[in-house]
């Protein structure tokens, strides 16, 4: 036997996954990734950004666009993931004034006071509330679980905003955070006036219904797909029909 092969045999015992057979979901994801690689390399790889977590800074696993994504502290993230729902409950500005006031008091985007009209999008998934709101001329995203676990980031410093001409939506940010069973992903973008709904489908077949309101769309879900290249598909619904895009295909 070649000496190099003997060396490989010795090193094989150090492989922590030695003898482990991937599960059906892992095989499906690996096969989908291989098919995308054969079809062509995605246009871009999301660049790392920073999360602002109630005064703490963390680095994102992967973020598309010139924005950052919120991250919750481990115990809080566990609660949010455990209670998560695929379909969000829409909330009005009046219904989330407590969360909006807390978001307005944070440094990201400048400290302001909140009014119901400042809330551009609000959704509830289990115990987690996601907001996209104005702070002066800045638009920020805030995510909270109950009365704690606040995290926030700036989305844009100018108003108004819209997807590029000819596109029903764009992708402002996408990332994942956490570890093991408490990994979660987040995606945010702009939506044109003709958009009636948006679904996010993971490669293992899960469907997440995004919230769409005031020219924005957003969703979060348990899993690591937001930090991976093209591990989701975004289906945009309009009165004229539906179109499906990989993140790398969106502006």
């Amino acid at each position: 036997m070649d000496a190099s092969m003997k060396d490989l045999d010795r090193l094989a015992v150090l492989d922590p996954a030695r003898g482990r057979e991937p599960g059906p979901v892992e095989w499906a994801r690996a096969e989908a990734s291989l098919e995308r690689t054969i079809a062509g390399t995605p246009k871009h790889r999301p660049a790392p950004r920073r999360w602002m977590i109630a005064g703490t800074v963390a680095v994102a696993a992967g973020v598309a666009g010139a924005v950052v994504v919120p991250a919750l502290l481990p115990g809080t993230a566990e609660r949010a993931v455990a209670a998560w729902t695929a379909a969000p409950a829409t909330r009005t500005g009046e219904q989330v004034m407590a969360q909006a006031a807390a978001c307005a008091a944070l440094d990201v985007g400048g400290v302001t006071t909140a009014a119901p009209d400042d809330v551009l999008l609000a959704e509830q998934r289990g115990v987690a509330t996601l907001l996209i709101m104005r702070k002066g001329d800045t638009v920020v995203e805030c995510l909270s679980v109950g009365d704690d676990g606040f995290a926030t980031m700036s989305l844009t410093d100018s108003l108004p905003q819209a997807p590029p001409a000819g596109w029903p939506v764009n992708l402002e940010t996408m990332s994942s955070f956490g570890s093991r069973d408490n990994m979660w992903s987040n995606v945010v973008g702009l939506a044109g006036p003709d958009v009636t709904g948006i679904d996010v489908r993971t490669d293992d077949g899960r469907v997440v219904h995004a919230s769409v309101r005031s020219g924005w769309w957003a969703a979060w879900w348990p899993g690591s797909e937001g930090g991976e290249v093209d591990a989701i598909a975004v289906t945009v619904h309009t009165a004229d029909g539906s179109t499906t895009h990989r993140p790398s295909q969106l502006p």
Side-chain angles (χ1 to χ4, degrees):
M1 179 182 292
D2 186 273
S4 62
M5 292 302 295
K6 292 181 180 179
D7 290 339
L8 290 175
D9 289 339
R10 295 190 188 101
L11 289 173
V13 300
L14 301 177
D15 184 358
R18 187 186 186 198
R20 177 181 176 276
E21 180 69 17
V25 171
E26 293 172 297
W27 276 121
R29 184 175 295 172
E31 290 170 358
S33 178
L34 177 60
E35 290 174 0
R36 290 195 300 273
T37 301
I38 294 173
T41 303
K43 295 179 182 178
H44 64 273
R45 171 69 179 175
R49 301 289 178 180
R50 290 185 180 274
W51 289 320
M52 303 305 296
I53 314 170
T56 303
V57 178
V59 178
V63 179
V67 292
V68 289
V69 175
L72 298 176
L73 298 176
T76 310
E78 183 177 353
R79 291 168 51 206
V81 167
W84 177 84
T85 59
T90 301
R91 295 289 183 255
T92 65
E94 289 83 359
Q95 291 173 319
V96 295
M97 278 309 298
Q99 293 91 337
C103 183
L106 298 175
D107 290 336
V108 174
V111 176
T112 62
T113 57
D117 289 345
D118 292 327
V119 178
L120 302 175
L121 180 152
E123 66 158 45
Q124 188 88 26
R125 296 180 192 264
V127 296
T129 303
L130 184 151
L131 304 180
I132 295 178
M133 62 178 286
R134 284 187 294 257
K135 297 181 74 174
D137 289 335
T138 300
V139 176
V140 302
E141 180 184 5
C142 285
L143 185 63
S144 64
V145 176
D147 296 328
D148 57 15
F150 249 99
T152 185
M153 97 300 270
S154 175
L155 292 173
T156 178
D157 292 326
S158 60
L159 294 172
Q161 291 286 317
W167 287 90
V169 301
N170 81 337
L171 181 64
E172 287 289 312
T173 183
M174 185 178 77
S175 73
S176 65
F177 177 77
S179 61
R180 299 181 181 177
D181 293 338
N182 293 323
M183 288 286 290
W184 63 278
S185 294
N186 171 277
V187 62
V188 178
L190 295 167
D194 295 333
V195 175
T196 58
I198 296 175
D199 294 322
V200 175
R201 180 181 294 274
T202 63
D203 283 347
D204 60 9
R206 290 174 295 152
V207 177
V208 183
H209 303 296
S211 294
V212 182
R213 186 183 174 196
S214 304
W216 290 87
W217 68 279
W220 76 272
W221 65 95
S224 61
E225 293 85 1
E228 302 170 6
V229 176
D230 281 355
I232 63 171
V234 178
T235 299
V236 182
H237 306 288
T238 68
D240 295 329
S242 301
T243 56
T244 298
H245 316 268
R246 290 289 182 176
S248 64
Q249 298 171 326
L250 292 173

